[in-house]
Amino acid sequence: MIEIEAIRHRVETNTILHELSLNLGEGRIGIIGANGSGKSTFARLLNGLILPSAGRVRVHGHDTRAAGDVVRALVGFVFQNPDHQIVYPIVEEDVGFGLRNAGLRGDALSCAVTEALESFGLTEKRNQPAHLLSGGEKQLLALAGILALAPRVVVLDEPTALLDLRNRRKIARILADLPQQVVLVTHDLDMLDGFDRVLVFDSGRIVADDTPARAIAHYIRLMEA
Ligand SMILES: Nc1ncnc2c1ncn2[C@@H]1O[C@H](COP(=O)(O)OP(=O)(O)O)[C@@H](O)[C@H]1O
Ligand SMILES: [Mg+2]
């Protein structure tokens, strides 16, 4: 459960998000909208990467301003470009990074890495340099590193923008099977099949909050206007 209470976000004199209150309950939530409509800013508010200029965001009761560390443990964030997320040179080290931060050592760490790589089909790449992975494999590695930490919510900001159709479908299937709450920013409207709710952003406002079919229709009308 994420509660967004009367937030506004400004950078200098620019209003990037106008006043906004809503709850994101459980389930899969999509976010769509034109370039520059405020989607990434909104997504980053959800785990405290950005703090709102006014109002507050609470994740399972924890305020992103007062309890940033708790919130970041609850909310995993996946960026569009996995190169911004992969920090270690070797695949297994990268997946191990977050787990080590979470306190795992020795066999427990090694088992958790094995499990994470297996569930994303990356077992064979375990000892390879991360920078030699394909774009799709890199995005899977970034996702594996986040999900290994068992966050309650996963926020993804255009995770498939750099991927081909096969890898996009792979990510879609992985997301469909996740037990966690998913918040997905995307221009890939097919990815929203089976989602519970889709928000449409326009110039820093939410102009539709509806089923995927109705929200997408609203977005298409907006783009054609
Ligand atoms: N740190 C910032 N400083 C100034 N302007 C920003 C900053 N972050 C975002 N913006 C502006 O806010 C608007 C919304 O950005 P963003 O949330 O990235 O939109 P989207 O993800 O929908 O493309 C854009 O006009 C962008 O240029
Ligand atoms: Mg964006």
Side-chain angles (χ1 to χ4, degrees):
M1 164 65 100
I2 303 182
E3 294 157 283
I4 293 145
E5 299 171 10
I7 57 156
R8 246 185 313 111
H9 193 64
R10 303 175 64 138
V11 175
E12 290 157 16
T13 56
N14 278 351
T15 298
I16 295 173
L17 292 174
H18 296 275
E19 186 162 317
L20 186 56
S21 293
L22 76 159
N23 287 343
L24 306 180
E26 299 305 315
R28 286 156 214 289
I29 298 171
I31 297 180
I32 58 180
N35 295 324
S37 58
K39 305 179 300 296
S40 293
T41 304
F42 181 78
R44 285 162 192 232
L45 286 166
L46 302 180
N47 82 334
L49 273 171
I50 295 178
L51 297 172
S53 317
R56 64 177 179 173
V57 177
R58 287 189 300 170
V59 180
H60 293 281
H62 302 281
D63 189 316
T64 58
R65 191 180 302 275
D69 289 349
V70 179
V71 168
R72 275 182 285 281
L74 288 169
V75 186
F77 196 98
V78 177
F79 293 90
Q80 175 183 124
N81 187 342
D83 288 333
H84 297 159
Q85 198 130 30
I86 296 171
V87 288
Y88 274 82
I90 302 296
V91 167
E92 69 168 353
E93 294 170 346
D94 194 73
V95 173
F97 165 67
L99 292 165
R100 223 176 297 114
N101 277 348
L104 266 64
R105 294 290 183 277
D107 285 351
L109 175 61
S110 171
C111 285
V113 169
T114 301
E115 206 175 288
L117 293 175
E118 237 168 56
S119 57
F120 287 88
L122 292 169
T123 303
E124 261 110 75
K125 312 283 177 181
R126 183 169 186 143
N127 298 308
Q128 292 192 13
H131 76 272
L132 293 183
L133 298 180
S134 72
E137 289 165 346
K138 282 183 183 173
Q139 194 53 286
L140 290 173
L141 175 60
L143 197 51
I146 297 297
L147 292 177
L149 304 174
R152 299 271 294 271
V153 184
V154 190
V155 179
L156 306 101
D157 191 358
E158 299 192 42
T160 55
L162 305 173
L163 303 185
D164 65 22
L165 184 61
R166 177 178 297 144
N167 282 309
R168 290 209 294 256
R169 289 187 172 159
K170 199 170 195 172
I171 300 276
R173 274 197 303 277
I174 288 169
L175 296 185
D177 288 341
L178 288 182
Q180 280 100 340
Q181 176 167 26
V182 170
V183 179
L184 172 68
V185 179
T186 191
H187 290 295
D188 222 338
L189 304 177
D190 293 345
M191 295 274 294
L192 301 172
D193 268 358
F195 270 53
D196 298 294
R197 177 178 173 194
V198 173
L199 312 177
V200 181
F201 277 73
D202 183 33
S203 305
R205 292 189 169 84
I206 293 179
V207 294
D209 177 352
D210 214 325
T211 61
R214 284 203 291 257
I216 289 169
H218 189 108
Y219 174 55
I220 291 171
R221 280 198 301 277
L222 206 62
M223 293 298 96
E224 288 175 346

PDB file of all heavy atoms in Angstrom, residues 81-83 86 91 122 125 128-142 162-164 167 170:
ATOM      1  N   ASN A  81      17.671   2.050 -18.193  1.00  0.00           N
ATOM      2  CA  ASN A  81      18.949   1.590 -18.720  1.00  0.00           C
ATOM      3  C   ASN A  81      19.678   0.766 -17.655  1.00  0.00           C
ATOM      4  O   ASN A  81      20.131   1.317 -16.655  1.00  0.00           O
ATOM      5  CB  ASN A  81      19.784   2.802 -19.120  1.00  0.00           C
ATOM      6  CG  ASN A  81      21.048   2.383 -19.831  1.00  0.00           C
ATOM      7  OD1 ASN A  81      21.463   1.223 -19.745  1.00  0.00           O
ATOM      8  ND2 ASN A  81      21.664   3.311 -20.516  1.00  0.00           N
ATOM      9  N   PRO A  82      19.792  -0.557 -17.886  1.00  0.00           N
ATOM     10  CA  PRO A  82      20.413  -1.395 -16.851  1.00  0.00           C
ATOM     11  C   PRO A  82      21.862  -1.023 -16.577  1.00  0.00           C
ATOM     12  O   PRO A  82      22.389  -1.313 -15.505  1.00  0.00           O
ATOM     13  CB  PRO A  82      20.306  -2.819 -17.416  1.00  0.00           C
ATOM     14  CG  PRO A  82      20.040  -2.671 -18.869  1.00  0.00           C
ATOM     15  CD  PRO A  82      19.369  -1.330 -19.059  1.00  0.00           C
ATOM     16  N   ASP A  83      22.522  -0.333 -17.525  1.00  0.00           N
ATOM     17  CA  ASP A  83      23.907   0.091 -17.271  1.00  0.00           C
ATOM     18  C   ASP A  83      23.978   1.042 -16.068  1.00  0.00           C
ATOM     19  O   ASP A  83      25.028   1.196 -15.463  1.00  0.00           O
ATOM     20  CB  ASP A  83      24.508   0.777 -18.502  1.00  0.00           C
ATOM     21  CG  ASP A  83      24.799  -0.239 -19.605  1.00  0.00           C
ATOM     22  OD1 ASP A  83      25.032  -1.423 -19.279  1.00  0.00           O
ATOM     23  OD2 ASP A  83      24.771   0.142 -20.785  1.00  0.00           O
ATOM     24  N   ILE A  86      23.734  -1.740 -12.964  1.00  0.00           N
ATOM     25  CA  ILE A  86      24.725  -2.802 -12.775  1.00  0.00           C
ATOM     26  C   ILE A  86      26.023  -2.149 -12.316  1.00  0.00           C
ATOM     27  O   ILE A  86      26.584  -1.312 -13.023  1.00  0.00           O
ATOM     28  CB  ILE A  86      24.917  -3.597 -14.089  1.00  0.00           C
ATOM     29  CG1 ILE A  86      23.596  -4.300 -14.437  1.00  0.00           C
ATOM     30  CG2 ILE A  86      26.058  -4.595 -13.972  1.00  0.00           C
ATOM     31  CD1 ILE A  86      23.563  -4.940 -15.814  1.00  0.00           C
ATOM     32  N   VAL A  91      28.944 -10.884 -13.284  1.00  0.00           N
ATOM     33  CA  VAL A  91      27.510 -11.102 -13.073  1.00  0.00           C
ATOM     34  C   VAL A  91      27.188 -11.500 -11.626  1.00  0.00           C
ATOM     35  O   VAL A  91      26.336 -10.901 -10.984  1.00  0.00           O
ATOM     36  CB  VAL A  91      26.981 -12.160 -14.079  1.00  0.00           C
ATOM     37  CG1 VAL A  91      25.604 -12.646 -13.690  1.00  0.00           C
ATOM     38  CG2 VAL A  91      26.966 -11.568 -15.494  1.00  0.00           C
ATOM     39  N   LEU A 122      20.066 -16.985 -16.019  1.00  0.00           N
ATOM     40  CA  LEU A 122      21.402 -16.398 -16.163  1.00  0.00           C
ATOM     41  C   LEU A 122      22.506 -17.275 -15.566  1.00  0.00           C
ATOM     42  O   LEU A 122      23.653 -16.831 -15.449  1.00  0.00           O
ATOM     43  CB  LEU A 122      21.435 -15.016 -15.492  1.00  0.00           C
ATOM     44  CG  LEU A 122      20.595 -13.923 -16.165  1.00  0.00           C
ATOM     45  CD1 LEU A 122      20.495 -12.689 -15.259  1.00  0.00           C
ATOM     46  CD2 LEU A 122      21.193 -13.525 -17.514  1.00  0.00           C
ATOM     47  N   LYS A 125      25.827 -17.484 -17.183  1.00  0.00           N
ATOM     48  CA  LYS A 125      26.571 -16.216 -17.278  1.00  0.00           C
ATOM     49  C   LYS A 125      27.233 -15.846 -15.957  1.00  0.00           C
ATOM     50  O   LYS A 125      27.856 -14.781 -15.865  1.00  0.00           O
ATOM     51  CB  LYS A 125      25.620 -15.075 -17.686  1.00  0.00           C
ATOM     52  CG  LYS A 125      24.738 -15.392 -18.864  1.00  0.00           C
ATOM     53  CD  LYS A 125      25.504 -15.307 -20.161  1.00  0.00           C
ATOM     54  CE  LYS A 125      24.607 -15.716 -21.326  1.00  0.00           C
ATOM     55  NZ  LYS A 125      25.299 -15.679 -22.600  1.00  0.00           N
ATOM     56  N   GLN A 128      30.709 -14.428 -15.949  1.00  0.00           N
ATOM     57  CA  GLN A 128      31.066 -13.578 -17.090  1.00  0.00           C
ATOM     58  C   GLN A 128      31.035 -12.084 -16.725  1.00  0.00           C
ATOM     59  O   GLN A 128      30.334 -11.686 -15.803  1.00  0.00           O
ATOM     60  CB  GLN A 128      30.087 -13.822 -18.239  1.00  0.00           C
ATOM     61  CG  GLN A 128      30.253 -15.217 -18.814  1.00  0.00           C
ATOM     62  CD  GLN A 128      29.512 -15.386 -20.123  1.00  0.00           C
ATOM     63  OE1 GLN A 128      29.064 -14.414 -20.726  1.00  0.00           O
ATOM     64  NE2 GLN A 128      29.383 -16.623 -20.545  1.00  0.00           N
ATOM     65  N   PRO A 129      31.794 -11.293 -17.492  1.00  0.00           N
ATOM     66  CA  PRO A 129      31.715  -9.839 -17.275  1.00  0.00           C
ATOM     67  C   PRO A 129      30.312  -9.327 -17.620  1.00  0.00           C
ATOM     68  O   PRO A 129      29.778  -9.653 -18.685  1.00  0.00           O
ATOM     69  CB  PRO A 129      32.745  -9.280 -18.268  1.00  0.00           C
ATOM     70  CG  PRO A 129      33.625 -10.431 -18.635  1.00  0.00           C
ATOM     71  CD  PRO A 129      32.782 -11.660 -18.519  1.00  0.00           C
ATOM     72  N   ALA A 130      29.749  -8.543 -16.720  1.00  0.00           N
ATOM     73  CA  ALA A 130      28.380  -8.051 -16.923  1.00  0.00           C
ATOM     74  C   ALA A 130      28.273  -7.202 -18.193  1.00  0.00           C
ATOM     75  O   ALA A 130      27.251  -7.213 -18.874  1.00  0.00           O
ATOM     76  CB  ALA A 130      27.930  -7.268 -15.701  1.00  0.00           C
ATOM     77  N   HIS A 131      29.355  -6.491 -18.537  1.00  0.00           N
ATOM     78  CA  HIS A 131      29.243  -5.585 -19.689  1.00  0.00           C
ATOM     79  C   HIS A 131      29.176  -6.343 -21.014  1.00  0.00           C
ATOM     80  O   HIS A 131      28.835  -5.751 -22.037  1.00  0.00           O
ATOM     81  CB  HIS A 131      30.363  -4.541 -19.683  1.00  0.00           C
ATOM     82  CG  HIS A 131      31.699  -5.063 -20.128  1.00  0.00           C
ATOM     83  ND1 HIS A 131      32.589  -5.631 -19.258  1.00  0.00           N
ATOM     84  CD2 HIS A 131      32.272  -5.122 -21.350  1.00  0.00           C
ATOM     85  CE1 HIS A 131      33.674  -6.011 -19.930  1.00  0.00           C
ATOM     86  NE2 HIS A 131      33.498  -5.724 -21.203  1.00  0.00           N
ATOM     87  N   LEU A 132      29.478  -7.647 -20.985  1.00  0.00           N
ATOM     88  CA  LEU A 132      29.373  -8.419 -22.229  1.00  0.00           C
ATOM     89  C   LEU A 132      27.993  -9.033 -22.438  1.00  0.00           C
ATOM     90  O   LEU A 132      27.728  -9.647 -23.464  1.00  0.00           O
ATOM     91  CB  LEU A 132      30.432  -9.535 -22.247  1.00  0.00           C
ATOM     92  CG  LEU A 132      31.890  -9.067 -22.323  1.00  0.00           C
ATOM     93  CD1 LEU A 132      32.833 -10.250 -22.401  1.00  0.00           C
ATOM     94  CD2 LEU A 132      32.104  -8.139 -23.522  1.00  0.00           C
ATOM     95  N   LEU A 133      27.103  -8.877 -21.467  1.00  0.00           N
ATOM     96  CA  LEU A 133      25.743  -9.402 -21.643  1.00  0.00           C
ATOM     97  C   LEU A 133      25.021  -8.590 -22.721  1.00  0.00           C
ATOM     98  O   LEU A 133      25.338  -7.428 -22.956  1.00  0.00           O
ATOM     99  CB  LEU A 133      24.957  -9.286 -20.333  1.00  0.00           C
ATOM    100  CG  LEU A 133      25.478 -10.054 -19.118  1.00  0.00           C
ATOM    101  CD1 LEU A 133      24.560  -9.803 -17.929  1.00  0.00           C
ATOM    102  CD2 LEU A 133      25.576 -11.547 -19.412  1.00  0.00           C
ATOM    103  N   SER A 134      24.008  -9.220 -23.336  1.00  0.00           N
ATOM    104  CA  SER A 134      23.158  -8.479 -24.273  1.00  0.00           C
ATOM    105  C   SER A 134      22.275  -7.510 -23.486  1.00  0.00           C
ATOM    106  O   SER A 134      22.159  -7.626 -22.260  1.00  0.00           O
ATOM    107  CB  SER A 134      22.279  -9.451 -25.056  1.00  0.00           C
ATOM    108  OG  SER A 134      21.279  -9.971 -24.201  1.00  0.00           O
ATOM    109  N   GLY A 135      21.624  -6.585 -24.195  1.00  0.00           N
ATOM    110  CA  GLY A 135      20.732  -5.629 -23.524  1.00  0.00           C
ATOM    111  C   GLY A 135      19.663  -6.330 -22.705  1.00  0.00           C
ATOM    112  O   GLY A 135      19.359  -5.937 -21.577  1.00  0.00           O
ATOM    113  N   GLY A 136      19.086  -7.392 -23.281  1.00  0.00           N
ATOM    114  CA  GLY A 136      18.027  -8.132 -22.585  1.00  0.00           C
ATOM    115  C   GLY A 136      18.555  -8.808 -21.341  1.00  0.00           C
ATOM    116  O   GLY A 136      17.928  -8.775 -20.277  1.00  0.00           O
ATOM    117  N   GLU A 137      19.742  -9.419 -21.485  1.00  0.00           N
ATOM    118  CA  GLU A 137      20.333 -10.102 -20.325  1.00  0.00           C
ATOM    119  C   GLU A 137      20.694  -9.106 -19.233  1.00  0.00           C
ATOM    120  O   GLU A 137      20.532  -9.385 -18.046  1.00  0.00           O
ATOM    121  CB  GLU A 137      21.578 -10.878 -20.753  1.00  0.00           C
ATOM    122  CG  GLU A 137      21.249 -12.108 -21.590  1.00  0.00           C
ATOM    123  CD  GLU A 137      22.465 -12.674 -22.330  1.00  0.00           C
ATOM    124  OE1 GLU A 137      23.502 -11.972 -22.422  1.00  0.00           O
ATOM    125  OE2 GLU A 137      22.368 -13.802 -22.825  1.00  0.00           O
ATOM    126  N   LYS A 138      21.159  -7.923 -19.639  1.00  0.00           N
ATOM    127  CA  LYS A 138      21.485  -6.899 -18.638  1.00  0.00           C
ATOM    128  C   LYS A 138      20.245  -6.481 -17.859  1.00  0.00           C
ATOM    129  O   LYS A 138      20.290  -6.290 -16.649  1.00  0.00           O
ATOM    130  CB  LYS A 138      22.093  -5.664 -19.308  1.00  0.00           C
ATOM    131  CG  LYS A 138      23.548  -5.827 -19.694  1.00  0.00           C
ATOM    132  CD  LYS A 138      24.043  -4.506 -20.274  1.00  0.00           C
ATOM    133  CE  LYS A 138      25.473  -4.627 -20.742  1.00  0.00           C
ATOM    134  NZ  LYS A 138      25.898  -3.420 -21.455  1.00  0.00           N
ATOM    135  N   GLN A 139      19.140  -6.315 -18.582  1.00  0.00           N
ATOM    136  CA  GLN A 139      17.928  -5.895 -17.883  1.00  0.00           C
ATOM    137  C   GLN A 139      17.457  -7.003 -16.931  1.00  0.00           C
ATOM    138  O   GLN A 139      16.996  -6.723 -15.823  1.00  0.00           O
ATOM    139  CB  GLN A 139      16.830  -5.502 -18.882  1.00  0.00           C
ATOM    140  CG  GLN A 139      15.654  -4.734 -18.297  1.00  0.00           C
ATOM    141  CD  GLN A 139      16.035  -3.502 -17.498  1.00  0.00           C
ATOM    142  OE1 GLN A 139      16.524  -3.602 -16.364  1.00  0.00           O
ATOM    143  NE2 GLN A 139      15.825  -2.325 -18.068  1.00  0.00           N
ATOM    144  N   LEU A 140      17.620  -8.270 -17.370  1.00  0.00           N
ATOM    145  CA  LEU A 140      17.269  -9.387 -16.485  1.00  0.00           C
ATOM    146  C   LEU A 140      18.174  -9.399 -15.253  1.00  0.00           C
ATOM    147  O   LEU A 140      17.711  -9.652 -14.143  1.00  0.00           O
ATOM    148  CB  LEU A 140      17.393 -10.725 -17.229  1.00  0.00           C
ATOM    149  CG  LEU A 140      16.342 -10.972 -18.318  1.00  0.00           C
ATOM    150  CD1 LEU A 140      16.673 -12.241 -19.093  1.00  0.00           C
ATOM    151  CD2 LEU A 140      14.946 -11.066 -17.731  1.00  0.00           C
ATOM    152  N   LEU A 141      19.448  -9.106 -15.459  1.00  0.00           N
ATOM    153  CA  LEU A 141      20.387  -9.067 -14.332  1.00  0.00           C
ATOM    154  C   LEU A 141      20.006  -7.957 -13.346  1.00  0.00           C
ATOM    155  O   LEU A 141      20.000  -8.167 -12.129  1.00  0.00           O
ATOM    156  CB  LEU A 141      21.823  -8.864 -14.855  1.00  0.00           C
ATOM    157  CG  LEU A 141      22.911  -8.671 -13.801  1.00  0.00           C
ATOM    158  CD1 LEU A 141      23.010  -9.878 -12.868  1.00  0.00           C
ATOM    159  CD2 LEU A 141      24.275  -8.435 -14.484  1.00  0.00           C
ATOM    160  N   ALA A 142      19.674  -6.795 -13.893  1.00  0.00           N
ATOM    161  CA  ALA A 142      19.273  -5.676 -13.018  1.00  0.00           C
ATOM    162  C   ALA A 142      18.036  -6.057 -12.206  1.00  0.00           C
ATOM    163  O   ALA A 142      17.955  -5.818 -10.995  1.00  0.00           O
ATOM    164  CB  ALA A 142      19.010  -4.425 -13.853  1.00  0.00           C
ATOM    165  N   LEU A 162      14.669  -0.471 -24.157  1.00  0.00           N
ATOM    166  CA  LEU A 162      15.853  -0.785 -24.961  1.00  0.00           C
ATOM    167  C   LEU A 162      15.846  -2.219 -25.478  1.00  0.00           C
ATOM    168  O   LEU A 162      16.840  -2.670 -26.042  1.00  0.00           O
ATOM    169  CB  LEU A 162      17.122  -0.552 -24.120  1.00  0.00           C
ATOM    170  CG  LEU A 162      17.273   0.840 -23.488  1.00  0.00           C
ATOM    171  CD1 LEU A 162      18.473   0.879 -22.556  1.00  0.00           C
ATOM    172  CD2 LEU A 162      17.412   1.904 -24.560  1.00  0.00           C
ATOM    173  N   LEU A 163      14.728  -2.926 -25.274  1.00  0.00           N
ATOM    174  CA  LEU A 163      14.729  -4.362 -25.553  1.00  0.00           C
ATOM    175  C   LEU A 163      13.974  -4.733 -26.820  1.00  0.00           C
ATOM    176  O   LEU A 163      13.036  -4.034 -27.230  1.00  0.00           O
ATOM    177  CB  LEU A 163      14.101  -5.120 -24.381  1.00  0.00           C
ATOM    178  CG  LEU A 163      14.746  -4.895 -23.009  1.00  0.00           C
ATOM    179  CD1 LEU A 163      14.102  -5.809 -21.983  1.00  0.00           C
ATOM    180  CD2 LEU A 163      16.245  -5.126 -23.060  1.00  0.00           C
ATOM    181  N   ASP A 164      14.360  -5.863 -27.426  1.00  0.00           N
ATOM    182  CA  ASP A 164      13.620  -6.370 -28.573  1.00  0.00           C
ATOM    183  C   ASP A 164      12.347  -7.076 -28.097  1.00  0.00           C
ATOM    184  O   ASP A 164      12.118  -7.244 -26.890  1.00  0.00           O
ATOM    185  CB  ASP A 164      14.498  -7.279 -29.436  1.00  0.00           C
ATOM    186  CG  ASP A 164      14.934  -8.549 -28.720  1.00  0.00           C
ATOM    187  OD1 ASP A 164      14.268  -8.966 -27.747  1.00  0.00           O
ATOM    188  OD2 ASP A 164      15.952  -9.123 -29.130  1.00  0.00           O
ATOM    189  N   ASN A 167      12.671 -10.140 -25.688  1.00  0.00           N
ATOM    190  CA  ASN A 167      13.027  -9.780 -24.309  1.00  0.00           C
ATOM    191  C   ASN A 167      11.922  -8.993 -23.609  1.00  0.00           C
ATOM    192  O   ASN A 167      11.732  -9.111 -22.406  1.00  0.00           O
ATOM    193  CB  ASN A 167      14.347  -9.010 -24.298  1.00  0.00           C
ATOM    194  CG  ASN A 167      15.528  -9.953 -24.458  1.00  0.00           C
ATOM    195  OD1 ASN A 167      15.626 -10.949 -23.735  1.00  0.00           O
ATOM    196  ND2 ASN A 167      16.395  -9.673 -25.405  1.00  0.00           N
ATOM    197  N   LYS A 170       9.614 -11.541 -22.406  1.00  0.00           N
ATOM    198  CA  LYS A 170      10.185 -12.247 -21.262  1.00  0.00           C
ATOM    199  C   LYS A 170       9.972 -11.436 -19.981  1.00  0.00           C
ATOM    200  O   LYS A 170       9.540 -11.958 -18.955  1.00  0.00           O
ATOM    201  CB  LYS A 170      11.680 -12.450 -21.515  1.00  0.00           C
ATOM    202  CG  LYS A 170      12.320 -13.517 -20.684  1.00  0.00           C
ATOM    203  CD  LYS A 170      13.715 -13.744 -21.238  1.00  0.00           C
ATOM    204  CE  LYS A 170      14.336 -15.020 -20.754  1.00  0.00           C
ATOM    205  NZ  LYS A 170      15.598 -15.279 -21.467  1.00  0.00           N
TER     206      LYS A 170
END
